[in-house]
Amino acid sequence: MFVALPTEAIRELAEAHGVCVRPVVHEVTDTVTGRTKMVCTPCGATLASKCPPCAQKSRILRMQQCREGWHLDDEPPDDDEHADPDSNSEDEGPKAARRVRSTRRRQDVPDLPRLPVDKRTVGSAFTSPAGKTYRPSMFVTLTLPSYGPVQPDGTPLHPATYDYRRAALDALHFPKAIDRVWQNLRRAAGYQVQYFASVEAQKRLAPHLHAAIRGAIPREVLRAVARATYHQVWWPAHVTPVYTGANTPAWEDESGYADPGTGQPLPTWDQALDALDDDLEATPAHTVRLGKQLDIQGIIATEDDADRRVAYLTKYLAKSFGQVLGESDDLTRRQKAHLDRLHLEVRYLPCSPRCWNWLRFGIQPDGAKPGMVPGSCPAKAHDREHLGCGGRRVLVSRKWTGKTLTDHRADRAEVVRQTLLAAGVEVPDFQRMSAHVTRDDGRPRFEWKIWNALEAPTPIYRQVMTRTIAEKLRWKADYEAAKARASPANAPPRPPDSQPISSGAAPVRGERSESRSDTKCP
Ligand SMILES: [Zn+2]
Ligand SMILES: [Zn+2]
């Protein structure tokens, strides 16, 4: 029945038609009828190197999220159930866990104008003499300072004097500095400024931030905030390593890590912080400031410019941070040396209180346990792809749209469903097999079990993929036909990418809430 295509060809075909190339296959058992079905859910990868179709879908979803929140006229719903769990909740974050001892060194508030912060998140509207109302917003780019002059290819003019240590520390602490920007901006602008921002690498491999900001803020206020904002890192000093090479602290069962020569236990993380508190001469281990380069643009919702900016903001999301210079093979010798040198620096600096690299500086990491080796901390920040930026690439404030990504995904699926319904095309009810459907006795009707693809023989992968692609093509045809049949006057809105998307079934299970029953397999 199926043409026996080689696996590689099927993968290419799947990519060409926007079908996930490495779906998770579930075996779903209907406990009422006893029947079993194979159901695929897409892998949901955000990097194209892992799955191009899923990365593209994820980017499109982010574009929709960005577009929807940027020029809101009304306050978004403020309801915790719909708060994006991925969003930054810098105002509402748990404060209890924060260490309270360092009150003496609480961050100074920079010298900035302070206004009472209004409860609103929506910017002001302006009416033109012709009676048209505008609600302008902004597009802002924040950068880090210079670490030494660079050439057009991003490499230092004088590699020997380029400040790699500062570049690495700034990258590691960049998100905290950005949090401070938003806090200071809200106080200075007098309303709950909302943003959709993406962290990208510049050619010199330092992170910078592009942000869509709702509402217009005077340029002078933005400049003053960028100039005055800083973040102090109150960690133990970590300038000169105490243990290097094979001379590394050894684990003792009683006291944790100890000096390999003397057997003397190293101070624990808490002891190190206590010593820092008691030292009246201590200075922050590092202070992040922003660079002078600050790009500010006013944006009007109705202009094409807004859409161009949305595309720009999400342009590199499917690429890893370090890929900004291109694939490894394409790098010049100078670029490769620059990348290697920066990687060396981020590899051995501490990324967090729990970082294994604290052992290099004679301190036991927070939560020390056996097996920690300096230079091998598993946090993403240390690897060549991330170069210090191991955190989230997209930063969205809590009240940007007041919706989760799952809500946005469901919105998109609904557009397709409505288009098909309007044209009289039957919409398959994927919700039918959701894990939330219950039987009369209240127990879940459908049992979902991950089908172990590693143990699966290749022909089954082929079969599953071939059917998924065929399903996708049918959907595409149905959707295009439905769109064509819909009269232009009452046509439903086009989904932002104008590609067909499959059903928006309810999340299958907690841990896979990002995926959905995209396509049914045999
Ligand atoms: Zn995928
Ligand atoms: Zn680390």
Side-chain angles (χ1 to χ4, degrees):
M1 189 163 74
F2 293 110
V3 185
L5 286 171
T7 308
E8 211 26 61
I10 287 182
R11 196 191 143 101
E12 276 173 28
L13 200 62
E15 259 191 65
H17 292 291
V19 170
C20 174
V21 297
R22 36 166 229 180
V24 182
V25 183
H26 290 89
E27 201 177 75
V28 184
T29 308
D30 184 339
T31 60
V32 173
T33 63
R35 271 205 296 230
T36 298
K37 247 186 174 168
M38 294 297 219
V39 174
C40 300
T41 54
C43 72
T46 54
L47 292 181
S49 55
K50 295 199 172 128
C51 178
C54 285
Q56 172 66 0
K57 267 190 197 165
S58 146
R59 182 181 169 233
I60 286 166
L61 200 62
R62 287 299 193 179
M63 289 174 81
Q64 185 191 337
Q65 183 186 31
C66 178
R67 195 182 283 121
E68 201 173 307
W70 206 353
H71 300 94
L72 284 188
D73 287 322
D74 301 307
E75 291 296 335
D78 183 17
D79 124 31
D80 271 343
E81 210 181 308
H82 284 268
D84 186 350
D86 280 344
S87 70
N88 281 16
S89 48
E90 65 276 19
D91 293 336
E92 290 81 15
K95 294 194 167 79
R98 205 167 287 167
R99 195 180 158 86
V100 288
R101 297 195 60 163
S102 303
T103 45
R104 185 164 58 82
R105 297 212 182 83
R106 198 163 279 165
Q107 299 266 345
D108 300 331
V109 177
D111 188 17
L112 280 169
R114 281 190 77 148
L115 298 175
V117 180
D118 280 0
K119 274 219 130 227
R120 75 189 159 88
T121 73
V122 169
S124 311
F126 301 90
T127 306
S128 72
K132 201 165 176 310
T133 303
Y134 295 95
R135 203 179 286 277
S137 287
M138 316 199 81
F139 183 81
V140 172
T141 301
L142 298 165
T143 51
L144 283 166
S146 168
Y147 309 113
V150 290
Q151 309 188 76
D153 67 355
T155 66
L157 202 54
H158 312 293
T161 55
Y162 190 81
D163 197 343
Y164 280 102
R165 180 184 158 82
R166 176 159 285 276
L169 287 169
D170 278 0
L172 285 162
H173 298 287
F174 186 60
K176 281 276 192 287
I178 294 300
D179 278 354
R180 301 249 167 242
V181 171
W182 303 125
Q183 286 167 15
N184 292 333
L185 194 57
R186 284 173 184 175
R187 290 182 189 129
Y191 74 101
Q192 294 182 344
V193 178
Q194 300 296 309
Y195 55 87
F196 176 104
S198 63
V199 178
E200 302 296 352
Q202 289 177 289
K203 241 183 176 179
R204 60 175 179 153
L205 301 175
H208 67 165
L209 186 91
H210 298 303
I213 295 179
R214 183 148 81 234
I217 297 164
R219 276 155 204 261
E220 263 328 295
V221 172
L222 264 167
R223 283 210 186 87
V225 168
R227 218 169 25 232
T229 297
Y230 59 87
H231 169 66
Q232 294 181 328
V233 182
W234 282 103
W235 283 356
H238 46 282
V239 181
T240 316
V242 182
Y243 303 100
T244 52
N247 180 33
T248 186
W251 176 261
E252 309 283 341
D253 281 335
E254 291 293 298
S255 50
Y257 285 94
D259 182 285
T262 65
Q264 192 69 28
L266 303 185
T268 63
W269 178 252
D270 277 336
Q271 286 167 345
L273 285 194
D274 286 344
L276 184 65
D277 278 353
D278 294 342
D279 179 1
L280 297 176
E281 307 290 305
T283 52
H286 183 62
T287 301
V288 189
R289 286 181 186 282
L290 297 176
K292 291 197 189 75
Q293 219 185 315
L294 172 67
D295 187 60
I296 307 171
Q297 294 167 36
I299 303 286
I300 305 279
T302 47
E303 289 174 4
D304 277 344
D305 226 24
D307 266 2
R308 219 157 47 81
R309 297 292 162 206
V310 170
Y312 188 72
L313 264 164
T314 53
K315 188 170 171 191
Y316 297 107
L317 289 184
K319 290 194 170 189
S320 80
F321 185 88
Q323 263 184 337
V324 65
L325 296 177
E327 301 300 325
S328 296
D329 297 347
D330 305 334
L331 303 191
T332 64
R333 197 178 47 79
R334 283 187 64 97
Q335 285 177 321
K336 200 171 166 302
H338 179 53
L339 202 156
D340 287 344
R341 180 66 186 82
L342 184 61
H343 179 224
L344 186 71
E345 206 70 33
V346 296
R347 183 173 167 197
Y348 289 102
L349 282 168
C351 66
S352 73
R354 308 181 74 86
C355 186
W356 298 6
N357 288 340
W358 282 113
L359 292 175
R360 254 166 82 74
F361 302 97
I363 293 163
Q364 302 202 41
D366 193 14
K369 56 179 197 289
M372 292 176 156
V373 180
S376 302
C377 173
K380 282 196 293 188
H382 302 293
D383 64 39
R384 257 176 93 89
E385 284 70 46
H386 292 86
L387 298 170
C389 298
R392 286 197 291 264
R393 291 282 296 282
V394 180
L395 308 171
V396 188
S397 62
R398 217 173 67 85
K399 295 179 189 166
W400 181 252
T401 55
K403 290 181 191 174
T404 63
L405 273 185
T406 309
D407 294 336
H408 284 292
R409 191 175 287 127
D411 287 352
R412 288 176 48 75
E414 192 52 28
V415 171
V416 174
R417 199 189 301 275
Q418 290 302 330
T419 308
L420 289 168
L421 273 176
V425 177
E426 191 201 338
V427 183
D429 181 11
F430 286 90
Q431 309 263 2
R432 249 176 342 122
M433 296 202 301
S434 156
H436 304 299
V437 176
T438 51
R439 303 188 303 209
D440 291 344
D441 63 1
R443 314 246 331 244
R445 173 168 175 179
F446 297 97
E447 271 173 12
W448 286 67
K449 199 173 79 190
I450 290 200
W451 187 71
N452 194 342
L454 288 177
E455 286 172 12
T458 311
I460 298 208
Y461 172 80
R462 281 192 202 148
Q463 200 179 28
V464 160
M465 291 301 289
T466 315
R467 290 209 187 206
T468 308
I469 295 165
E471 183 92 6
K472 177 87 179 198
L473 287 172
R474 196 172 60 75
W475 266 94
K476 192 171 179 155
D478 280 355
Y479 183 67
E480 294 300 331
K483 270 202 305 185
R485 260 179 280 164
S487 75
N490 45 24
R494 261 172 17 142
D497 63 333
S498 71
Q499 273 179 23
I501 49 170
S502 330
S503 79
V508 171
R509 267 180 207 169
E511 77 268 14
R512 287 203 57 81
S513 62
E514 286 295 286
S515 49
R516 65 214 151 91
S517 306
D518 200 341
T519 312
K520 276 192 285 181
C521 299

